[in-house]
Amino acid sequence: MRTGGDVGMANQTLPTRTNNTLRSVLVIAAGYAAVASLWILASDSLLAWVFRSPARISAFQTYKGLGYVLVTALVLAVLLHHQFRQREQTEQALRQSEERFRAISTLTPDHILMQDSQLRYMFVVNPQLGLAEQDMLGKTDRDLLSPEEADQLTRIKTQVLETGEPFHLETSLISQDGSRETFDGTYVPKVNAQGQIDGLIGYFRNVTERALAEEALRKSEERFRRAMDNIPDVVVIYSPDLRIQYINAATRRLTGRATSEFIGRREEEIWPPEVYEVYLPTLKEALRTREPHSLETDLELPGSGMRSLSITCVPLLDEEGAVREVLGITHDRTERKLAEMALRESEEKYRLLVDHSPYAIGVHQDGKLVFVNQSALSLFGARSAAQLIGKPVSDFVHPPQLAAARDRIERLMKGETGLYPVEDRYVRLDGSDVPVEVTAAPLTYQGRPAIQVIALDITERKRAEEALRRYADRLEVLHEIDRGIIAAHTLDEIANRVLPHVRRVFACQRSDLGLFDGSLTAVTAYAADYEGESVILSNTTYPLSPSKQLERLKNGQLLLVPDFQALEEDPSALTGLLLKEGYRSGLFAPLMLDGQLYGVFGLLAAAPDHFNAEHGEVAEEIASQLVIAVRQVQMMEQIAQHAQELEQRVAERTAQLEAKNRELEAFTYSVSHDLKAPLRGIDGYSRLLLSDYVDRLDDEGQAFLHNIEQAALQMHQLIDDLLAYSHLERRPLQASQVDPQALAESVLAERAGEIEARGIATTVEVPCATITADPEGMAMALRNLLDNALKFTRDVPHPVVEIGGRDTGTTCVLWVRDNGIGFDMKFHDRIFDIFQRLHRVEDYPGTGIGLAIVRKVMERIGGRTWAESEPGRGAAFYLEIPR
Amino acid sequence: MSNLNKPILLVEDNPMDVDLTKRAFTRSRVTNPIQVARDGEEALAWLPRWEAGEPRPAVILLDLKLPKVDGLEVLRQLKSHPVFQTIPVVVLTTSVEDRDVQAAYQLGVNSYIVKPVEFNKFIEVAEHVEIYWTVLNEPPG
């Protein structure tokens, strides 16, 4: 609500309307009282003057009273009548005035109201908000409006009443039907005749429509402004006299100036002549002709540099056709122009690239060529582009590939990737084929979809690939041949392994391996290969007669016969045979060994001139391999033969050895038997003598006999030992799992009697894993060591014998340790020799074979034995057994 | 007839061994009569004599190394004889060869004893043999 009122007047006291009424009443009362009093006084006096008798006075009192009443009534009537008439006049005047007022008010559209000092509506003209006058009269705003509105108005009205200053405002209120109405008007204090504020008058105009229109206008202006500011183009609105009324944000951006610099000004006032003279004429022209005019220009704008602009001036006309405003729209084409230039440049570059590319580049659209570059012309053998442009692409693709090519294009257009590059075959103008590598991509050509194809003539590449493949083939063949050679043990194998590959490389019908005899008068085909099968012709010897061809071979030279039929000399039997078998050309590589012609590697073809120089090279390589192969085979045969001979000899030797062994066995067997028998005799009779003839023998004689006995025993022991030793040799090695601990324990148990009898302290601790060894041999070795230990601890008061062991991972070490007399280590090696003894036989019996047996046992199982000792400090004997 | 009087057949070629054996038996108070065969042939010659009714020995002590007919051959013939195979045969020999032992047992020898060289031991052995085979052992019928 718009308000506008002066504030600052001092509050006035509220004037009362009751003053006037009181005055009138007092006047009447006073008048009445005066007259009444006068009458009373007068009447009394009159009566007294008229009538002397008091009796008469009293009789006239009643008449005096009546007369009083009459007179006072008359006075009252007169006074009242006067008052009433006055009042009536006033009322009438007022009514008249009211009527006049009403007459006027009915004509006015404005809303007029009058409120009393309590702000009750007393009078309403053109009640608004859907209210009727009757509804309003006597009510306050609070009764009629919403609390907020009522408060608002009441506050203002109260202020007006208090300050006595009018208040102008514009306010909007909600009417009964809910719509919003806007009022523009003033409240003025109503001053009564006494000059007191006794109420309020307000007169308002319903400006709802105007307000709505204003609102609409404002909104529209807002929209306009926003739209204008969002337009990237410069928008300037001029008044008819070409003063700027409005500029948008783009204008500020382009010029870098603020709005204030433009509004109200003319172009001439803002820009220097070199700027405005460019477009002002157009603007003026538009204004003059009342038609839109445009201008494309490049302009140097101070502060923004050179700009490429497109200016349009549009005059806006009112209803009469006069120019209301001129609209100037300026489009900054600078970026686009630059982009266009860049594009043109890039297109230029591209064009150059395409034109000079070594790749043939073409574009086809709707199945026809629309563009080709220089290289494409040479690819197709065209002299000018005209020969190619417009022709269907299918003309240029090798017919068998056409369907595939089309399919690819279709898929490419659908957006598929990974289709290219591919190898294809194109057709030149002259009808010849050319192999190409092709890449294609979709393209927009002159606005429509097209395909760009880049093709490279790969004829050379293909040729190189072919050569490489041939070379690789050749290598592979040679490789196969090598492998074949390594694996072949016989000539048959050579044929089967080598020749089939050979045939593949040369694409001929037969390959032969022939070996010459020493005098070169015959060749024996040891191996041959026919197409489709491998056949061995062994020992088919063909006689040879000397010839130029043979001479060549003899000199180690390759022989190439383009046509057997064309041989100058009379064809030899061999040649005739070959011809008969259907071979026309041949290639022969000599197999030379130590400079001599050893054999020949031959290739035969049904067609004449089948073989070329390259074949020759390969053939020579193969020939050299074959020489090796054949040689190898022969050597192997020799080796085999030698091996056989060797084996035979070995067998013979072995047989001999076995025979010898058996002899030896028989010998030792009989020796032991036969030797023991007389021993028995010696012992027996000497004992008999000792027992039966003891009384007839003196001490000496007895001693003699005793010695004889001893000798016999010794001999027995010796024989036994010898037997055992030789037995050891002859016996085959048994290898079985032996538990060292168990073995030690069992060997010890064998001597349990003696150990117990002599009170020998023994320990057996062999924490070793099972070994693989000869159990009997091991037992024998341990037994011998134990016997030695027992023997050489004979004179020790507390004999201790310890059997121990230890695993080393690769071996098992056992030992027998005693605390006997020990020995000097300088005899260490000797004691292991057969029959070697360190002690006198009467001190310690024994034949000296025990340790030799131990050593022999260990040797046989691949182990070893050694000892450690100190004289007087016992000895330890070790056995090392491999796992 | 009790074993005590049965003869003991000693098949031994070595005269000293024969003598010593006899003496060993004597010393160990073996009372059985000792019959001696000096070689394999002589040993086998007893077969017909037994068939003829001569008393069979309580035990045959057989040496293996014999001239003319080998000990093992004698053993075979003895043990394959339908009647006299039951006569206990003890091989008394120097050979301790495994294969001799095996062969003997295969042929059915009743016992295999190795002749000790020491005479004392020999006497012991003789004693044992005598006691075992002639006293303890139940003879076949």
Side-chain angles (χ1 to χ4, degrees):
Chain A
M1 152 168 111
R2 271 205 309 252
T3 61
D6 289 356
V7 180
M9 291 289 285
N11 281 343
Q12 278 184 346
T13 55
L14 251 155
T16 58
R17 279 192 293 175
T18 57
N19 284 356
N20 292 338
T21 316
L22 195 62
R23 230 182 60 173
S24 308
V25 165
L26 284 174
V27 163
I28 295 168
Y32 172 76
V35 170
S37 321
L38 214 71
W39 171 261
I40 292 167
L41 289 169
S43 68
D44 273 338
S45 307
L46 196 60
L47 275 177
W49 186 69
V50 170
F51 301 104
R52 293 257 163 108
S53 83
R56 256 241 223 185
I57 293 173
S58 3
F60 264 100
Q61 278 302 41
T62 314
Y63 292 119
K64 187 184 83 172
L66 286 172
Y68 169 79
V69 169
L70 202 72
V71 170
T72 54
L74 212 70
V75 169
L76 258 178
V78 169
L79 282 174
L80 285 173
H81 178 72
H82 179 75
Q83 282 295 335
F84 279 135
R85 233 200 19 183
Q86 230 185 21
R87 196 131 289 171
E88 207 182 297
Q89 275 175 354
T90 318
E91 276 184 13
Q92 192 167 13
L94 189 64
R95 224 177 300 127
Q96 270 178 5
S97 160
E98 241 186 68
E99 268 176 40
R100 241 178 270 138
F101 184 70
R102 222 177 262 283
I104 296 170
S105 71
T106 52
L107 295 173
T108 179
D110 293 342
H111 164 63
I112 303 172
L113 60 96
M114 200 178 327
Q115 287 170 300
D116 62 13
S117 55
Q118 306 302 315
L119 294 180
R120 289 188 291 249
Y121 282 96
M122 289 163 36
F123 173 72
V124 181
V125 173
N126 287 329
Q128 300 288 311
L129 305 180
L131 296 163
E133 196 178 341
Q134 303 93 285
D135 306 326
M136 294 177 75
L137 293 178
K139 304 244 175 71
T140 67
D141 287 321
R142 292 226 163 78
D143 304 322
L144 303 166
L145 304 171
S146 71
E148 305 85 47
E149 287 169 342
D151 277 338
Q152 197 179 49
L153 292 176
T154 310
R155 225 178 317 126
I156 295 168
K157 288 175 185 173
T158 313
Q159 188 188 317
V160 170
L161 289 173
E162 283 172 3
T163 62
E165 294 291 321
F167 197 88
H168 175 237
L169 72 146
E170 193 176 301
T171 179
S172 55
L173 303 165
I174 311 284
S175 79
Q176 297 287 58
D177 65 6
S179 62
R180 184 167 282 273
E181 314 239 352
T182 311
F183 304 96
D184 180 14
T186 318
Y187 288 117
V188 293
K190 176 165 151 308
V191 173
N192 65 5
Q194 282 73 26
Q196 291 164 318
I197 299 172
D198 68 346
L200 187 84
I201 298 177
Y203 51 95
F204 288 89
R205 184 155 291 189
N206 187 329
V207 294
T208 312
E209 261 181 50
R210 193 189 73 187
L212 285 172
E214 276 176 7
E215 180 70 24
L217 182 65
R218 203 180 43 74
K219 280 213 175 93
S220 151
E221 260 187 36
E222 174 102 12
R223 269 201 300 276
F224 171 76
R225 204 164 291 277
R226 241 202 315 261
M228 284 299 115
D229 280 343
N230 279 330
I231 293 177
D233 294 347
V234 164
V235 176
V236 179
I237 303 181
Y238 302 89
S239 61
D241 64 343
L242 294 182
R243 280 189 194 277
I244 296 175
Q245 306 296 304
Y246 166 79
I247 60 154
N248 72 343
T251 317
R252 289 194 286 277
R253 275 201 301 273
L254 177 67
T255 59
R257 297 191 184 196
T259 313
S260 51
E261 293 183 50
F262 291 93
I263 303 295
R265 303 235 177 94
R266 303 170 71 125
E267 292 291 329
E268 303 94 307
E269 293 162 30
I270 304 168
W271 303 104
E274 50 273 19
V275 172
Y276 69 71
E277 268 168 13
V278 175
Y279 54 83
L280 204 53
T282 313
L283 193 57
K284 288 190 174 150
E285 194 61 24
L287 183 63
R288 191 183 66 77
T289 62
R290 286 179 282 168
E291 297 273 326
H293 278 69
S294 327
L295 169 71
E296 309 271 337
T297 180
D298 291 336
L299 191 57
E300 175 86 41
L301 272 183
S304 354
M306 182 62 81
R307 297 259 137 194
S308 183
L309 305 171
S310 171
I311 306 173
T312 311
C313 303
V314 182
L316 298 174
L317 311 174
D318 60 15
E319 297 85 44
E320 273 102 65
V323 175
R324 200 181 71 216
E325 293 164 329
V326 184
L327 190 64
I329 305 170
T330 306
H331 180 65
D332 186 349
R333 285 176 32 240
T334 319
E335 299 307 325
R336 183 140 71 119
K337 192 139 177 218
L338 288 171
E340 273 173 18
M341 276 169 51
L343 181 66
R344 232 191 326 274
E345 224 178 277
S346 137
E347 270 183 16
E348 264 311 303
K349 271 195 219 147
Y350 173 77
R351 201 163 286 274
L352 273 169
L353 213 80
V354 165
D355 275 340
H356 291 117
S357 170
Y359 290 89
I361 302 178
V363 178
H364 64 86
Q365 197 172 52
D366 307 324
K368 297 198 181 49
L369 280 173
V370 292
F371 168 78
V372 286
N373 73 345
Q374 272 306 115
S375 302
L377 294 183
S378 37
L379 177 71
F380 290 111
R383 278 193 309 278
S384 72
Q387 289 177 297
L388 301 171
I389 300 290
K391 295 258 171 63
V393 283
S394 47
D395 281 1
F396 301 102
V397 179
H398 192 52
Q401 323 279 54
L402 196 54
R406 279 222 178 91
D407 176 60
R408 273 197 299 273
I409 296 288
E410 261 179 51
R411 283 154 67 179
L412 181 69
M413 294 302 274
K414 288 204 185 106
E416 207 174 305
T417 57
L419 296 163
Y420 295 95
V422 292
E423 276 186 24
D424 209 344
R425 236 180 157 73
Y426 282 175
V427 177
R428 291 206 167 89
L429 281 183
D430 64 3
S432 59
D433 279 4
V434 52
V436 284
E437 189 178 274
V438 176
T439 295
L443 177 77
T444 305
Y445 189 80
Q446 295 180 353
R448 285 191 307 115
I451 304 277
Q452 175 179 275
V453 177
I454 303 176
L456 181 67
D457 183 346
I458 55 171
T459 318
E460 275 313 308
R461 197 214 301 187
K462 278 237 163 295
R463 208 169 291 156
E465 274 176 17
E466 186 57 45
L468 203 71
R469 201 175 323 135
R470 265 206 314 277
Y471 191 69
D473 252 354
R474 180 167 141 186
L475 270 172
E476 202 195 313
V477 168
L478 288 171
H479 190 56
E480 284 297 319
I481 290 170
D482 273 350
R483 275 219 288 257
I485 286 169
I486 291 168
H489 297 286
T490 63
L491 287 169
D492 295 13
E493 279 180 26
I494 291 179
N496 283 321
R497 283 176 200 268
V498 173
L499 296 181
H501 300 295
V502 162
R503 205 175 24 77
R504 206 175 77 215
V505 166
F506 295 97
C508 60
Q509 280 68 48
R510 178 163 142 179
S511 58
D512 277 47
L513 175 62
L515 296 177
F516 292 107
D517 70 340
S519 56
L520 298 180
T521 52
V523 64
T524 310
Y526 275 102
D529 175 42
Y530 290 94
E531 185 159 17
E533 39 179 317
S534 196
V535 174
I536 310 302
L537 300 178
S538 53
N539 300 324
T540 309
T541 308
Y542 302 92
L544 287 176
S545 41
S547 62
K548 264 210 310 225
Q549 287 79 32
L550 195 57
E551 280 307 306
R552 269 187 77 87
L553 290 178
K554 267 207 258 183
N555 290 332
Q557 289 170 315
L558 189 71
L559 175 65
L560 175 66
V561 182
D563 195 342
F564 287 123
Q565 277 180 357
L567 279 178
E568 293 145 10
E569 302 165 354
D570 285 336
S572 65
L574 186 56
T575 319
L577 193 67
L578 293 174
L579 275 171
K580 209 156 32 129
E581 287 180 8
Y583 300 112
R584 283 286 295 278
S585 55
L587 179 64
F588 302 94
L591 273 55
M592 307 297 288
L593 190 64
D594 300 329
Q596 302 286 37
L597 184 60
Y598 187 74
V600 65
F601 169 57
L603 295 156
L604 299 165
D609 283 311
H610 181 81
F611 301 102
N612 61 28
E614 205 184 313
H615 288 139
E617 277 174 36
V618 182
E620 279 182 319
E621 281 172 38
I622 294 173
S624 58
Q625 301 285 67
L626 280 173
V627 172
I628 298 170
V630 170
R631 197 85 171 92
Q632 197 175 292
V633 162
Q634 289 185 336
M635 284 210 297
M636 280 210 216
E637 282 172 2
Q638 279 183 3
I639 289 171
Q641 209 179 340
H642 283 309
Q644 227 179 347
E645 283 174 24
L646 257 163
E647 266 179 44
Q648 218 175 334
R649 245 182 270 169
V650 165
E652 284 171 19
R653 212 20 97 68
T654 313
Q656 280 180 5
L657 264 164
E658 280 178 358
K660 269 267 144 54
N661 261 351
R662 276 195 297 275
E663 256 184 64
L664 202 62
E665 224 178 289
F667 175 73
T668 46
Y669 181 66
S670 60
V671 156
S672 80
H673 227 274
D674 296 343
L675 279 177
K676 281 190 189 173
L679 272 178
R680 216 171 13 260
I682 295 171
D683 181 83
Y685 286 114
S686 52
R687 208 165 286 256
L688 280 170
L689 264 177
L690 266 176
S691 66
D692 294 353
Y693 290 83
V694 67
D695 48 341
R696 266 167 280 184
L697 278 170
D698 63 352
D699 288 336
E700 205 175 18
Q702 285 180 20
F704 286 161
L705 281 171
H706 194 73
N707 286 348
I708 293 169
E709 221 176 25
Q710 286 301 312
L713 273 174
Q714 260 179 46
M715 182 131 182
H716 185 211
Q717 188 61 42
L718 215 58
I719 293 168
D720 272 346
D721 285 348
L722 263 171
L723 255 178
Y725 191 75
S726 76
H727 193 69
L728 202 54
E729 270 294 333
R730 289 180 286 114
R731 255 185 65 246
L733 261 184
Q734 318 268 27
S736 64
Q737 300 293 89
V738 176
D739 173 15
Q741 173 82 10
L743 183 71
E745 281 170 0
S746 85
V747 167
L748 203 62
E750 289 170 15
R751 301 285 180 265
E754 187 184 337
I755 289 168
E756 229 186 274
R758 285 176 45 200
I760 300 172
T762 58
T763 53
V764 183
E765 210 179 296
V766 188
C768 292
T770 337
I771 48 172
T772 311
D774 171 28
E776 262 196 60
M778 288 306 308
M780 203 184 306
L782 266 178
R783 202 176 295 126
N784 282 338
L785 290 180
L786 177 62
D787 285 343
N788 276 357
L790 293 175
K791 194 181 344 176
F792 291 106
T793 54
R794 199 83 51 85
D795 299 327
V796 170
H798 302 291
V800 176
V801 172
E802 171 201 316
I803 305 181
R806 175 182 94 229
D807 262 330
T808 67
T810 51
T811 63
C812 167
V813 178
L814 302 176
W815 59 81
V816 179
R817 196 175 278 131
D818 66 71
N819 61 347
I821 68 157
F823 62 90
D824 191 331
M825 282 297 281
K826 71 179 183 219
F827 299 120
H828 176 271
D829 291 334
R830 272 182 58 190
I831 57 176
F832 288 99
D833 285 340
I834 192 169
F835 294 140
Q836 283 300 325
R837 307 194 68 247
L838 295 180
H839 303 281
R840 289 188 288 248
V841 82
E842 60 266 33
D843 294 336
Y844 293 99
T847 54
I849 206 163
L851 289 177
I853 288 179
V854 171
R855 186 167 72 178
K856 175 86 16 183
V857 165
M858 295 316 290
E859 267 174 27
R860 290 194 94 207
I861 65 173
R864 64 190 183 104
T865 178
W866 71 97
E868 282 166 13
S869 181
E870 251 189 75
R873 308 266 298 233
F877 282 82
Y878 296 89
L879 304 170
E880 191 184 61
I881 306 122
R883 293 208 159 277
Chain B
M1 155 158 42
S2 89
N3 267 353
L4 288 166
N5 286 324
K6 277 206 188 151
I8 294 174
L9 175 58
L10 175 63
V11 185
E12 173 65 62
D13 68 318
N14 189 317
M16 280 199 281
D17 275 342
V18 170
D19 184 44
L20 287 170
T21 309
K22 274 196 188 162
R23 287 183 191 277
F25 275 139
T26 318
R27 269 160 212 273
S28 63
R29 285 183 251 294
V30 172
T31 53
N32 306 65
I34 311 289
Q35 294 163 340
V36 179
R38 297 298 307 285
D39 58 38
E41 202 181 60
E42 265 188 47
L44 291 172
W46 277 95
L47 283 165
R49 285 166 74 169
W50 296 328
E51 283 168 4
E54 285 196 39
R56 282 180 279 171
V59 65
I60 302 175
L61 300 175
L62 180 61
D63 189 10
L64 289 183
K65 284 262 322 193
L66 296 171
K68 294 206 187 137
V69 180
D70 185 63
L72 283 172
E73 181 55 36
V74 172
L75 180 60
R76 183 181 305 127
Q77 292 212 24
L78 281 172
K79 286 300 174 183
S80 55
H81 193 282
V83 180
F84 303 124
Q85 67 183 208
T86 55
I87 304 176
V89 177
V90 174
V91 160
L92 192 60
T93 184
T94 46
S95 171
V96 76
E97 290 285 312
D98 218 30
R99 62 165 176 213
D100 285 335
V101 176
Q102 289 299 324
Y105 274 109
Q106 294 242 318
L107 289 168
V109 78
N110 299 75
S111 176
Y112 192 107
I113 296 176
V114 176
K115 260 191 265 187
V117 166
E118 289 168 76
F119 193 61
N120 282 345
K121 291 226 173 75
F122 197 41
I123 295 172
E124 273 180 49
V125 168
E127 210 170 12
H128 282 135
V129 165
E130 189 260 337
I131 291 173
Y132 182 75
W133 289 105
T134 60
V135 177
L136 277 179
N137 195 38
E138 275 301 321

